[in-house]
């Protein structure tokens, strides 16, 4: 008997798991007339574990043919009895199929958007409708539109959950406002473009991914501060700079080398953006004091794990050997301290001549004693990590992991 799927509209499917990557995605398929099930499942090809070898082997082709071939109701009943777990694939996608009732099947495939989108598109092209029969969003004329409407609700839920969890950890009014804005700006539509990548223009999807990926670092630091490390030789004024920025004495200040032995951190906000300023032990060749030597090792570790490195110096000649051993991060600035003690012409040309390793690094002259140059230093730090400031209309990927962005 030949069944006209278009006229009966008896086969439907729905995605039971939320969009985005995961271990397993589940798609439920139902039909009202059992005779339509073979057509609904026509793209399945079944395999089963080989009892002797322990590997997957194809089911003999009695009643079950490869993809795109008709399968009888009797063949389905013999292979897919109620509750039986069947291994197989949908075109190139590995999956597991379970018959949960006389007219209902569950397909369990790889989590993520690619496998689910491919299977759903195949079902739609075969005339299978999406959603429950009573769902108003389902339309025979526009099944793809109903699919988008249901997925949009799931995407909005994911974004709202991300916003709710992140705003609780916001460190400034500005970052809190940007987080809250993601629930109402274009982020959901951008994520829908990625989610429906198989049905969208490749260039459009790539452009959306690149745009969101470009804001990934900013999105990550809406709740986590950027790390700014002050490193340099002993007794160049790193701790004094930290104290001036913090507005309180968090670091011990002394003219004796080796005073700072532990990592000292202080959190602050610069133009609405969160930063963690880190004071380190002076970098110099091995110390006889084991505790001080440990502090120097921690300083090297801190410089390798920071977002911004401020190399503090009051004499460029002391820097050459240390810099040759360090891999400078992308955002590195030379902070020339104690500028109040020297003439302006004394700390530009000699600096570059004495230390070729500093060639090309920006230089900011400051004084921890008077505060001169500190506003310029903080402005440079902010611009280094946020060269283009977002506003509330900017889509920031606050749920990048769920949609494989970056």
């Amino acid at each position: 008997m030949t069944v006209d799927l278009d006229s009966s509209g008896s086969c439907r499917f729905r995605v039971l798991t939320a969009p985005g990557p995961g271990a397993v995605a589940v798609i439920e398929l139902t039909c009202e007339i059992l005779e339509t099930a073979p057509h609904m499942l026509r793209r399945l090809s079944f395999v089963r574990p080989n009892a002797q070898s322990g590997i997957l082997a194809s089911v003999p082709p009695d009643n079950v043919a490869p993809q795109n071939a008709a399968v009888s109701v009797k063949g389905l009943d013999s292979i897919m009895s109620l509750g039986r777990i069947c291994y197989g694939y949908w075109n190139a996608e590995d999956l597991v199929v379970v018959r949960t009732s006389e007219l209902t099947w569950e397909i369990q495939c790889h989590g993520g958007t690619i496998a689910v989108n491919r299977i759903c598109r195949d079902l739609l092209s075969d005339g299978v409708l999406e959603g429950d029969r009573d769902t108003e969003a389902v339309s025979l004329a526009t099944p793809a539109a109903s699919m988008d409407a249901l997925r949009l609700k799931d995407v909005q839920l994911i974004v709202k959950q991300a916003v709710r969890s992140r705003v609780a950890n916001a460190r400034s009014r500005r970052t809190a406002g940007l987080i809250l804005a993601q629930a109402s700006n274009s982020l959901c539509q951008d994520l829908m473009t990625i989610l429906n990548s198989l049905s969208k223009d490749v260039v459009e999807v790539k452009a959306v991914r690149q745009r969101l990926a470009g804001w990934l670092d900013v999105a990550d630091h809406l709740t986590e501060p950027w790390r700014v490390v002050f490193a340099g030789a002993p007794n160049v004024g790193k701790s004094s700079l930290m104290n001036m920025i913090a507005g309180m004495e968090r670091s011990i200040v002394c003219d004796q080398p080796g005073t700072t032995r532990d990592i000292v951190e202080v959190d602050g906000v610069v133009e609405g953006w969160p930063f963690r300023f880190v004071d380190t032990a002076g970098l110099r060749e091995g110390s006889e004091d084991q505790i001080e030597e440990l502090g120097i090792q921690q300083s090297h570790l801190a410089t390798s794990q920071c977002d911004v490195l401020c190399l503090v110096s009051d004499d460029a000649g002391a820097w050459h050997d240390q810099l040759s051993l360090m891999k400078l991060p992308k955002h590195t600035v030379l902070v020339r301290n104690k500028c109040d003690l020297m003439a302006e012409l004394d700390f530009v040309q000699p600096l570059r001549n004495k230390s070729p390793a500093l060639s090309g690094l920006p230089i900011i002259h400051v004084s921890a004693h008077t505060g001169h140059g500190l506003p310029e230093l903080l402005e440079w730090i902010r611009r280094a990590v946020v060269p283009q400031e977002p506003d509330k209309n900017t889509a920031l990927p606050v749920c990048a992991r769920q949609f494989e962005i970056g």
Side-chain angles (χ1 to χ4, degrees):
M1 180 179 70
T2 302
V3 178
D4 185 357
L5 265 179
D6 292 334
S7 62
S8 66
S10 60
C11 295
R12 298 179 181 274
F13 76 93
R14 58 175 180 164
V15 181
L16 301 182
T17 47
V24 177
V26 180
I27 303 173
E28 181 186 74
L29 299 98
T30 61
C31 60
E32 296 179 8
I33 304 173
L34 187 57
E35 284 74 16
T36 61
H39 183 92
M40 180 176 65
L41 301 172
R42 62 192 292 267
R43 296 179 187 266
L44 278 173
S45 181
F46 300 94
V47 295
R48 66 185 179 195
N50 186 307
Q52 294 181 350
S53 64
I55 62 175
L56 297 179
S58 296
V59 173
D62 298 337
N63 298 322
V64 180
Q67 309 161 32
N68 302 321
V71 181
S72 67
V73 173
K74 182 179 178 181
L76 280 178
D77 285 338
S78 64
I79 292 175
M80 300 189 66
S81 57
L82 189 63
R84 182 182 179 185
I85 299 175
C86 298
Y87 301 89
Y89 59 92
W90 184 287
N91 292 334
E93 300 295 341
D94 295 320
L95 47 77
V96 174
V97 185
V98 181
R99 191 172 186 175
T100 57
S101 73
E102 184 69 17
L103 300 175
T104 306
W105 291 261
E106 280 190 5
I107 293 178
Q108 300 176 9
C109 62
H110 293 295
T113 59
I114 296 178
V116 173
N117 280 354
R118 182 177 290 121
I119 295 174
C120 290
R121 284 189 64 189
D122 288 343
L123 289 168
L124 288 170
S125 67
D126 289 342
V128 182
L129 305 179
E130 183 182 16
D132 297 327
R133 184 172 182 82
D134 296 331
T135 302
E136 293 182 358
V138 175
S139 170
L140 289 174
T142 58
S146 68
M147 186 178 186
D148 284 348
L150 294 174
R151 284 183 176 173
L152 180 58
K153 292 182 180 179
D154 289 334
V155 170
Q156 290 171 336
L157 178 60
I158 291 175
V159 171
K160 287 180 180 178
Q161 290 174 341
V163 167
R164 191 177 298 113
S165 64
R166 287 199 174 214
V167 76
N169 297 311
R171 295 172 177 265
S172 71
R173 181 175 297 180
R174 180 173 195 171
T175 56
L178 289 172
I179 293 171
L180 290 171
Q182 303 313 307
S184 57
N185 64 16
S186 64
L187 176 61
C188 290
Q189 291 299 330
D190 287 343
L191 296 177
M192 282 292 294
T193 299
I194 294 174
L195 195 62
N196 296 328
S197 57
L198 292 179
S199 61
K200 296 288 185 179
D201 180 71
V202 175
V203 176
E204 178 188 2
V205 175
K206 184 178 180 180
V208 171
R209 280 190 172 277
Q210 288 179 341
R211 175 161 48 79
L212 291 178
W215 289 109
L216 188 57
D217 188 56
V218 171
D220 288 341
H221 289 90
L222 292 173
T223 53
E224 290 297 322
W226 281 281
R227 289 181 64 84
V228 180
V229 169
F230 290 90
N235 200 30
V236 295
K238 301 183 300 296
S239 298
S240 297
L241 284 173
M242 277 279 293
N243 291 340
M244 177 66 75
I245 291 174
M248 57 183 178
E249 292 194 358
R250 288 292 302 272
S251 303
I252 302 173
V253 178
C254 178
D255 61 1
Q256 182 67 31
T259 301
T260 301
R261 300 188 178 191
D262 295 321
I263 299 295
V264 179
E265 299 180 346
V266 60
D267 288 354
V269 175
V270 179
E271 299 180 19
W273 299 101
F275 289 91
R276 179 164 294 157
F277 299 96
V278 183
D279 186 16
T280 62
L283 297 174
R284 59 173 177 155
E285 295 184 359
S287 170
E288 296 180 357
D289 188 323
Q290 292 184 351
I291 298 179
E292 182 184 352
E293 179 63 26
L294 180 60
I296 294 174
Q297 294 176 8
Q298 291 178 338
S299 297
H300 281 286
L301 180 62
T303 58
S304 67
Q305 298 177 342
C306 66
D307 299 295
V308 179
L309 177 59
C310 297
L311 297 173
V312 184
S313 174
D314 59 1
D315 182 0
W319 272 105
H320 185 276
D321 293 337
Q322 293 293 342
L323 286 177
S324 63
L325 300 176
M326 296 172 57
K327 182 179 179 181
L328 301 179
K330 176 182 178 181
H331 305 304
T332 301
V333 58
L334 181 65
V335 180
R336 194 72 189 278
N337 193 21
K338 304 181 182 179
C339 67
D340 56 308
L341 301 180
M342 58 188 73
E344 184 176 352
L345 294 179
D346 292 339
F347 47 79
V348 178
Q349 188 64 31
L351 184 62
R352 298 185 184 275
N353 289 341
K354 289 184 179 181
S355 183
L358 302 179
S359 178
L361 289 180
I363 305 171
I364 298 179
H365 309 293
V366 303
S367 170
H369 178 67
T370 65
H372 175 82
L374 285 181
E376 290 79 2
L377 174 60
L378 294 177
E379 173 69 10
W380 186 93
I381 291 173
R382 198 277 300 165
R383 287 186 179 275
V385 295
V386 191
Q388 180 182 357
E389 293 193 277
D391 57 30
K392 292 184 178 181
N393 294 320
T394 306
L396 302 175
V398 293
C399 47
R401 182 183 61 82
Q402 291 92 326
F403 293 87
E404 301 173 336
I405 298 172

